[in-house]
Amino acid sequence: MKQRSKEVDEKFCSDCGAVIKAKAEICPKCGVRQSAPPGALGSTAANGKSRVAAALFAFFLGSFGAHKFYLGQVGLGVLYLFFCWTFIPALISLIEFILFLTMSDEAFNQKYGNT
């Protein structure tokens, strides 16, 4: 079986190696979701969680633990809610906001992708 080369607007499937369109999110041959290109703003983890969304939750609603609830860490979210009047969760969530923004997508997926 002769494998054809890919064109400029095509790429190889990350799972089966078939030639597919570069913008394809799912391989039509094997059905595997293709990972987003590195540095893409909308890349998500396997469970659908987004690093950018977690960062925005941490910045705007972090003192109430919204980012913890979003990431599936309900116990910590409740703890943030319980202590929100002390402004300590607001300070911690500001630090977590910066960490989310500086974290690579691979590190985010490894840490929060399986929850």
Side-chain angles (χ1 to χ4, degrees):
M1 182 161 117
K2 183 179 174 186
Q3 180 152 354
R4 71 180 189 114
S5 61
K6 67 180 184 77
E7 300 294 325
V8 176
D9 65 336
E10 294 177 325
K11 65 180 178 181
F12 293 106
C13 173
S14 61
D15 191 56
C16 69
V19 178
I20 60 175
K21 293 291 183 185
K23 293 183 179 182
E25 292 183 20
I26 298 175
C27 176
K29 183 177 179 187
C30 65
V32 172
R33 181 171 300 278
Q34 303 299 302
S35 60
L41 186 61
S43 62
T44 59
N47 61 357
K49 304 299 181 194
S50 167
R51 180 179 58 88
V52 175
L56 291 174
F57 276 128
F59 185 76
F60 290 110
L61 298 169
S63 59
F64 302 111
H67 61 296
K68 295 297 184 183
F69 287 112
Y70 174 73
L71 294 172
Q73 299 173 334
V74 177
L76 287 173
V78 170
L79 194 65
Y80 275 55
L81 271 175
F82 187 71
F83 287 104
C84 69
W85 61 274
T86 65
F87 298 107
I88 293 171
L91 182 64
I92 295 171
S93 65
L94 182 63
I95 295 168
E96 289 174 330
F97 165 72
I98 295 168
L99 290 174
F100 286 140
L101 288 183
T102 59
M103 182 182 290
S104 69
D105 287 332
E106 292 80 22
F108 179 82
N109 292 344
Q110 186 177 14
K111 189 168 184 179
Y112 301 107
N114 297 326
T115 57

